[in-house]
Amino acid sequence: MNPETEYREGLEELASHYKQIINLLGEDTERDGLLKTPMRVAKAMQVLTRGYTMDARKVLTDALFKEDYSHMVIVKDIDFFSLCEHHMLPFYGKVHVAYIPNGYITGLSKIARVVDIFSHRLQVQERMTMQIRECIDETLHPLGVMVVVEAKHMCMQMRGVEKQNSITTTSEFSGAFNQAKTRQEFMNLISHTSI
């Protein structure tokens, strides 16, 4: 799906629901500034949830290469945006991923695409972290995988406790990363800016 030109089935119905929501909020959907808003929001929501139409495992296997490299591969500072499934407000931040190959590597950009696929769904940060790790684990069968996600949540910033500077960090790991020394090496490597 090209998010700029192609939309999924149900776009018109989605727009009509947004029109009802705007009316229920007390606004006039017939005034100039809001005439096209229901369709714009419907299109935006389809783009923000396009991960439902994509297969993250296929992304990894489309660029799978036999390689004897068996040390840590890290892709860090992968920007992401997602929607909290509890309030449908954004949460955003960075994902850091490491894996230790076991005979096969994947294209580096594919790791970032996996993050995009899982973040473009209604999510909670904890599940997203786990899904990224599981996908890489089950597809590449590496010696280990570790994922760290750092995010700010608009549902905490705009409503509820209204804490603008809080950051939530989640991690998931498997295999060789069960060893504290390996996890610490990864954490040291992602804490330094190298470029």
Side-chain angles (χ1 to χ4, degrees):
M1 176 175 121
N2 177 344
E4 298 303 317
T5 58
E6 299 171 30
Y7 296 96
R8 302 192 302 269
E9 196 174 316
L11 184 66
E12 293 291 336
E13 186 178 359
L14 193 57
S16 74
H17 287 294
Y18 277 113
K19 184 172 183 174
Q20 286 180 307
I21 289 168
I22 294 167
N23 282 324
L24 288 169
L25 292 173
E27 262 293 357
D28 175 11
T29 53
E30 299 305 313
R31 71 176 175 86
D32 280 349
L34 291 175
L35 275 174
K36 296 181 180 179
T37 297
M39 182 55 76
R40 283 196 288 263
V41 176
K43 287 179 177 179
M45 288 304 290
Q46 283 204 355
V47 170
L48 294 172
T49 60
R50 70 180 180 260
Y52 290 119
T53 65
M54 300 171 161
D55 183 346
R57 287 169 179 80
K58 184 175 183 329
V59 165
L60 290 176
T61 58
D62 280 352
L64 197 59
F65 309 102
K66 185 153 183 52
E67 192 62 54
D68 289 331
Y69 187 80
S70 60
H71 296 280
M72 204 178 298
V73 176
I74 299 173
V75 182
K76 68 178 192 172
D77 295 331
I78 302 167
D79 292 318
F80 81 93
F81 298 89
S82 192
L83 288 175
C84 163
E85 68 181 35
H86 300 141
H87 302 98
M88 291 181 66
L89 290 171
F91 67 99
Y92 60 95
K94 297 200 179 288
V95 177
H96 315 286
V97 177
Y99 75 100
I100 300 173
N102 187 16
Y104 290 91
I105 61 171
T106 190
L108 297 175
S109 68
K110 305 309 178 189
I111 301 293
R113 295 242 323 164
V114 167
V115 170
D116 281 348
I117 289 168
F118 288 115
S119 66
H120 281 82
R121 298 176 181 184
L122 299 181
Q123 275 293 12
V124 294
Q125 182 175 334
E126 298 87 344
R127 182 190 318 117
M128 186 182 85
T129 307
M130 185 175 63
Q131 287 174 330
I132 294 166
R133 198 266 312 147
E134 284 177 348
C135 178
I136 295 167
D137 234 351
E138 294 169 4
T139 308
L140 300 181
H141 307 289
L143 298 175
V145 180
M146 185 159 177
V147 178
V148 172
V149 179
E150 302 170 300
K152 289 191 168 195
H153 291 250
M154 297 303 282
C155 57
M156 280 186 66
Q157 294 177 304
M158 296 174 65
R159 53 157 305 283
V161 294
E162 296 184 16
K163 300 300 177 206
Q164 280 70 41
N165 297 311
S166 65
I167 295 173
T168 302
T169 303
T170 51
S171 68
E172 266 279 325
F173 52 87
S174 66
F177 290 96
N178 284 309
Q179 299 173 23
K181 182 180 174 185
T182 309
R183 283 196 310 276
Q184 190 57 53
E185 179 185 349
F186 172 60
M187 297 305 288
N188 290 341
L189 289 168
I190 67 171
S191 68
H192 302 301
T193 303
S194 56
I195 297 178

